[in-house]
Amino acid sequence: MIDFTPTDEQQALIDNIRRFVQEEIIPLEADMDPDAAELPREDFDRLRGMAKEMGLFGLDIPEEFGGPGLNVMTQTLLAAEMTKHRGGLYSPCYGVFGGAGLAQLYGATDYQKEKYLHPTLRGETHGFFALSEPSGGSDPARAIQTKAVRDGDEWVLNGTKLWISGADRASYGVVFTRTGEGRAGITCFIVDTDTPGFQVRRVVHTMRSAHYATELTFEDARVPDKNRLGEVGMGFAIANDRLSAQRIPYSAQCLGVAEVAHQMAVEYSKDRTTFGKPLAARGGIQWMFVDNEMDLRSARMHVLAAAAKADAGEPFRVEAAIAKIAATEAAGRVVDRAIQVHGALGVSKDLPLERWYRELRIRRIGEGPTEVQKMIVARDLLGKIAV
Amino acid sequence: MSDVGGLGLKKAWQELNEVNIGRLSGCLGVFEIATTDDEILQIGYAGGRSLFGLRGCVGDVAAEHAGESLQFRTESNMQYISRWKELLMVHLAENGAMPSWNPPSDIDVIGRLGGRQKGQS
């Protein structure tokens, strides 16, 4: 059996993050709106400064770009820990630890790194990632209809992107366009949001409340060729390479909130009495907890196994897909059971469970829905006959 | 000015008085406060920690501005934060400024609808 016990160094980082969440983040949430996704500015600045002093800023930034160069396993363990608060699933520690930015930019030109990547890693600017369109997001090789046509030293972009996070507050975006047929016909560009012809057309409201997606339009938006990211026709590979890697910490985040939900339910069941007995004495409740344990333990193994494979330098696309299915589906079930144990309190905004329930539902769709992950695994098992 | 019409609140204004506030539900949602000339002064929301939801929040504004002739309108909405941000963005795009009663820091939490001018933040 593979031993996933954290190393001393990993455990020290986990303990630091756990203490930070408990002592700095959760107390602030007591006074924030239950759906809030941002800290008040003064708290954000104070905690970001504290994170930098503690050496916790930019933990997922690769070493070559000034980060600590943590391996995937460590990043995965920390991702699970950072989400263990009310807003944690989509706003781990409300962003005070900074972030790796858009990993697609790691392969950018020196000019692009200087203008876009480095300011992003310093936390000075934001970018958005625009792959999905009204025609779909899971099958970009076929779904992308936004066209880029070369005109001298520029490209002219026309089309619409949908379900794009953060575009209304970004200064640039990584945009995937069609320049030819099929997979070899996707090309990626970095588009400044002050480009004439680029518009954030509307906000798309979802179950997340404080977070929203946006719809973007490109109408004869002219982008210089020096803003092309990668070679012409290589956009699909740029998108795909990073999506698999991102699925591992994405899965771990789901486990973080599910573990807390499970702990909350267990504790509540010991205190809450019905018909003369604590809930914990009821078989129906006990079995829910057993199901939670099985869900959480098996999902955790899948997530860590994927991280270990990635760190070993082996192909991990199938393992990342299984981790994504296992973690997102299990976390949804665990939080659902935790709500059931809490009764009416579970669906109230007095507790974070209802927020996690809504947000976890989206996780089964985001970053590639469960069914697409199953296609990845099935194709690996069956080969061409499954296509 | 950007073309973001159709995204704002379209409901009829009501006079900000005790009777109309008393008819409001305690639901979560968003609200707008305006002068009798329809100039929007404040865009707010009744969130998950509000006492008595929209009724409480609009009532608080009325109490703070007792004696002033004002109007209000509301929308019950579980997505109250994203809807609030959307209304602020629409207002900013259409008027070039935030509602005068909203705290200046509100501009830090919203994005921008429509296009940006070169160099505009």
Side-chain angles (χ1 to χ4, degrees):
Chain A
M1 184 172 161
I2 309 169
D3 182 11
F4 291 130
T5 306
T7 63
D8 289 347
E9 186 189 357
Q10 288 169 337
Q11 191 59 53
L13 279 168
I14 290 170
D15 292 343
N16 267 343
I17 298 284
R18 186 171 295 163
R19 204 161 33 244
F20 193 93
V21 169
Q22 290 289 329
E23 295 176 6
E24 305 297 340
I25 300 292
I26 291 176
L28 290 176
E29 287 185 326
D31 293 325
M32 291 163 60
D33 186 275
D35 273 6
E38 291 170 79
L39 291 175
R41 190 75 225 179
E42 58 275 19
D43 290 316
F44 178 86
D45 290 342
R46 178 176 58 81
L47 292 185
R48 173 156 280 192
M50 187 182 287
K52 284 181 176 175
E53 279 178 21
M54 293 170 70
L56 298 175
F57 184 79
L59 285 175
D60 51 357
I61 296 175
E63 203 165 10
E64 62 191 294
F65 299 114
L70 299 180
N71 62 14
V72 180
M73 178 65 78
T74 308
Q75 289 181 38
T76 301
L77 292 166
L78 298 184
E81 210 57 47
M82 285 183 200
T83 62
K84 292 183 175 178
H85 59 95
R86 185 189 288 266
L89 190 59
Y90 278 97
S91 303
C93 295
Y94 297 99
V96 299
F97 296 137
L102 293 160
Q104 288 76 20
L105 295 176
Y106 296 162
T109 64
D110 288 345
Y111 159 77
Q112 292 165 350
K113 283 177 186 165
E114 192 61 34
K115 183 172 180 187
Y116 301 104
L117 177 63
H118 295 312
T120 304
L121 296 181
R122 291 194 296 267
E124 296 166 1
T125 189
H126 300 285
F128 65 84
F129 178 85
L131 182 70
S132 297
E133 301 195 1
S135 50
S138 294
D139 181 17
R142 293 180 183 83
I144 288 178
Q145 295 178 7
T146 294
K147 280 190 178 169
V149 177
R150 186 151 194 165
D151 181 18
D153 287 339
E154 294 182 321
W155 293 78
V156 183
L157 274 57
N158 280 284
T160 303
K161 293 286 179 183
L162 189 59
W163 311 118
I164 310 304
S165 296
D168 59 312
R169 298 174 75 174
S171 55
Y172 69 92
V174 171
V175 179
F176 294 84
T177 66
R178 180 157 298 288
T179 51
E181 297 297 316
R183 288 188 175 195
I186 308 293
T187 302
C188 184
F189 295 93
I190 305 171
V191 179
D192 292 311
T193 53
D194 59 4
T195 301
F198 168 81
Q199 285 219 342
V200 180
R201 188 168 172 272
R202 69 181 177 113
V203 162
V204 187
H205 301 280
T206 70
M207 299 162 84
R208 281 161 73 186
S209 183
H211 283 275
Y212 47 82
T214 58
E215 181 176 326
L216 315 177
T217 56
F218 300 83
E219 290 179 3
D220 292 329
R222 301 185 82 87
V223 178
D225 187 57
K226 66 181 177 181
N227 275 32
R228 173 168 43 79
L229 187 57
E231 298 300 317
V232 174
M234 293 302 290
F236 184 81
I238 291 172
N240 224 23
D241 282 355
R242 305 295 180 183
L243 284 176
S244 287
Q246 286 164 3
R247 281 180 190 132
I248 302 172
Y250 186 87
S251 305
Q253 291 172 337
C254 300
L255 293 181
V257 293
E259 285 167 6
V260 178
H262 177 47
Q263 289 161 7
M264 287 171 62
V266 167
E267 290 308 311
Y268 183 74
S269 75
K270 294 175 187 170
D271 291 336
R272 176 70 166 166
T273 301
T274 56
F275 306 103
K277 280 186 174 179
L279 286 180
R282 308 286 179 192
I285 301 293
Q286 293 168 4
W287 287 17
M288 286 192 214
F289 294 155
V290 175
D291 288 339
N292 279 357
E293 280 292 325
M294 290 166 57
D295 269 337
L296 288 170
R297 290 183 193 210
S298 58
R300 190 175 181 83
M301 292 297 283
H302 285 302
V303 171
L304 297 182
K309 197 123 191 218
D311 280 337
E314 297 173 25
F316 59 92
R317 193 158 179 252
V318 169
E319 285 73 14
I322 293 173
K324 207 268 178 181
I325 299 167
T328 57
E329 298 282 342
R333 289 192 296 269
V334 168
V335 171
D336 183 63
R337 293 187 198 108
I339 287 176
Q340 195 69 15
V341 170
H342 281 86
L345 187 57
V347 293
S348 79
K349 287 188 179 293
D350 289 359
L351 296 183
L353 297 171
E354 64 84 30
R355 177 172 178 173
W356 294 340
Y357 181 82
R358 285 183 282 121
E359 293 183 337
L360 278 169
R361 183 64 188 83
I362 300 170
R363 289 271 165 147
R364 288 163 53 198
I365 298 169
E367 297 286 323
T370 294
E371 292 70 25
V372 172
Q373 305 310 310
K374 287 183 176 176
M375 283 171 63
I376 292 169
V377 180
R379 285 176 182 178
D380 183 68
L381 284 171
L382 300 166
K384 283 186 177 174
I385 198 169
V387 179
Chain B
M1 184 178 293
S2 299
D3 177 22
V4 293
L7 299 176
L9 277 183
K10 295 293 177 227
K11 293 169 74 172
W13 291 106
Q14 297 183 72
E15 190 181 329
L16 187 67
N17 61 37
E18 208 168 300
V19 173
N20 286 335
I21 293 169
R23 290 190 185 122
L24 288 173
S25 78
C27 289
L28 310 180
V30 293
F31 64 87
E32 291 179 339
I33 307 291
T35 65
T36 51
D37 295 329
D38 299 352
E39 180 198 345
I40 295 175
L41 300 168
Q42 182 180 354
I43 299 174
Y45 70 82
R49 298 217 188 280
S50 60
L51 285 175
F52 309 112
L54 285 167
R55 186 169 67 243
C57 289
V58 175
D60 287 347
V61 177
E64 199 177 329
H65 296 278
E68 297 179 42
S69 293
L70 297 167
Q71 309 180 95
F72 75 98
R73 56 189 174 188
T74 65
E75 177 183 283
S76 298
N77 198 323
M78 288 297 288
Q79 276 65 44
Y80 52 89
I81 296 182
S82 58
R83 181 63 169 139
W84 171 69
K85 289 182 179 181
E86 179 181 47
L87 291 175
L88 285 175
M89 286 191 270
V90 169
H91 186 91
L92 183 62
E94 291 182 342
N95 299 279
M98 298 285 275
S100 56
W101 287 5
N102 279 69
S105 58
D106 279 353
I107 201 164
D108 296 337
V109 302
I110 64 167
R112 196 170 282 271
L113 286 173
R116 288 197 300 137
Q117 302 297 312
K118 275 283 174 199
Q120 188 180 22
S121 62

